[in-house]
Amino acid sequence: MIVTYLAMLNLGLHLFLSWLLTVQFHLGLAGVMSSMVIAYWIPVFGQLAFVFFGGCPLTWTGFSSAAFTELGAIVKLSLSSGVMLCVELWYNTILVLLTGYMKNAEIALDALSIWLAYIFTESKVVADAVAELSPLLAFSILLNSIQPVLSGVAVGSGWQSVVAYVNVTSYYLSGIPIGVILGYVLGFQVKGIWIGMLLGTLVQTIVLLFITLRTDWEKQVEIARQRLNRWSMDENGRQQNPGID
């Protein structure tokens, strides 16, 4: 429940800060980004406070020397997670930048960011561009209902480094080159960029699905059990099974 409460607080504060910084203080894009950054940190500090102040009495009994064991593995996992997320975020950013260098870039970018056309714009040109991209939007929604699940399975299994390699291959060796060829060389413009993006995501989804189906989940359960046994504590905060690998 704490995650739900923090998400609601996050949303409310984000909306309020966006209004305050952009409408009242006229900070424009800087205000929007500032409100987003502040809102992103709410779940982090909120969950830390929840744990530190007694929200998890059965799993958190305070700091001990065990908190500093196997930090190397945790750092490696954190770095892999960072690379995985950056590769994915940069992919979308690069596609937007590529769209910005096209003919009628303003219309293309508007169409790329607006889905309910006449709610957000009165421009018929932009609305027509949005209508032309609607089939791709439908396919994006379908694909994005599958890909995050598979990505979540991989992350939950500790395969961040594997996902990072998959993302680089899918996005940067497949999606972006295909998008550039379709958008610039073959003249499909923003539609070509989007098709390239979808193909990159499709390749990623297929690879992650293959990995998921080929995984021995009984073995993964055993690995998870061994880790829990190794890190479990007694009531005095001492490791119960420090020698288990």
Side-chain angles (χ1 to χ4, degrees), residues 82-158:
V83 171
M84 180 193 71
L85 292 174
C86 286
V87 166
E88 190 162 351
L89 291 173
W90 293 340
Y91 176 59
N92 296 322
T93 303
I94 290 173
L95 292 173
V96 172
L97 288 175
L98 289 174
T99 304
Y101 284 100
M102 291 183 166
K103 297 178 181 178
N104 300 320
E106 184 175 353
I107 295 175
L109 289 172
D110 286 343
L112 199 62
S113 59
I114 297 175
W115 308 127
L116 303 175
Y118 285 109
I119 294 180
F120 296 102
T121 182
E122 297 179 356
S123 172
K124 187 178 185 304
V125 177
V126 174
D128 290 341
V130 172
E132 188 177 355
L133 294 174
S134 294
L136 294 177
L137 172 62
F139 187 72
S140 297
I141 294 174
L142 174 62
L143 193 58
N144 287 332
S145 66
I146 302 172
Q147 183 268 344
V149 176
L150 295 173
S151 182
V153 170
V155 170
S157 301

Side-chain angles (χ1 to χ4, degrees), residues 4-212:
T4 303
Y5 294 144
L6 289 173
M8 294 172 61
L9 177 62
N10 187 358
L11 176 61
L13 186 60
H14 190 184
L15 291 174
F16 172 73
L17 289 177
S18 296
W19 169 80
L20 181 67
L21 297 177
T22 57
V23 177
Q24 296 298 314
F25 293 158
H26 306 288
L27 295 179
L29 183 59
V32 174
M33 296 303 297
S34 298
S35 66
M36 184 174 66
V37 170
I38 294 172
Y40 274 169
W41 279 103
I42 290 176
V44 177
F45 290 116
Q47 291 178 62
L48 280 175
F50 180 77
V51 172
F52 286 169
F53 293 102
C56 303
L58 299 179
T59 56
W60 173 259
T61 57
F63 281 108
S64 69
S65 60
F68 301 96
T69 60
E70 300 194 33
L71 286 180
I74 295 175
V75 170
K76 180 180 178 181
L77 185 63
S78 299
L79 291 176
S80 299
S81 300
V83 171
M84 180 193 71
L85 292 174
C86 286
V87 166
E88 190 162 351
L89 291 173
W90 293 340
Y91 176 59
N92 296 322
T93 303
I94 290 173
L95 292 173
V96 172
L97 288 175
L98 289 174
T99 304
Y101 284 100
M102 291 183 166
K103 297 178 181 178
N104 300 320
E106 184 175 353
I107 295 175
L109 289 172
D110 286 343
L112 199 62
S113 59
I114 297 175
W115 308 127
L116 303 175
Y118 285 109
I119 294 180
F120 296 102
T121 182
E122 297 179 356
S123 172
K124 187 178 185 304
V125 177
V126 174
D128 290 341
V130 172
E132 188 177 355
L133 294 174
S134 294
L136 294 177
L137 172 62
F139 187 72
S140 297
I141 294 174
L142 174 62
L143 193 58
N144 287 332
S145 66
I146 302 172
Q147 183 268 344
V149 176
L150 295 173
S151 182
V153 170
V155 170
S157 301
W159 303 337
Q160 280 85 342
S161 58
V162 175
V163 176
Y165 287 119
V166 171
N167 287 353
V168 169
T169 303
S170 303
Y171 294 155
Y172 295 90
L173 300 183
S174 299
I176 291 178
I178 293 174
V180 170
I181 292 173
L182 292 176
Y184 285 92
V185 179
L186 299 182
F188 284 92
Q189 298 296 311
V190 65
K191 184 183 291 187
I193 296 293
W194 199 345
I195 291 174
M197 177 187 70
L198 288 178
L199 289 177
T201 305
L202 179 62
V203 171
Q204 182 207 35
T205 302
I206 293 173
V207 173
L208 291 179
L209 179 61
F210 177 78
I211 293 174
T212 302

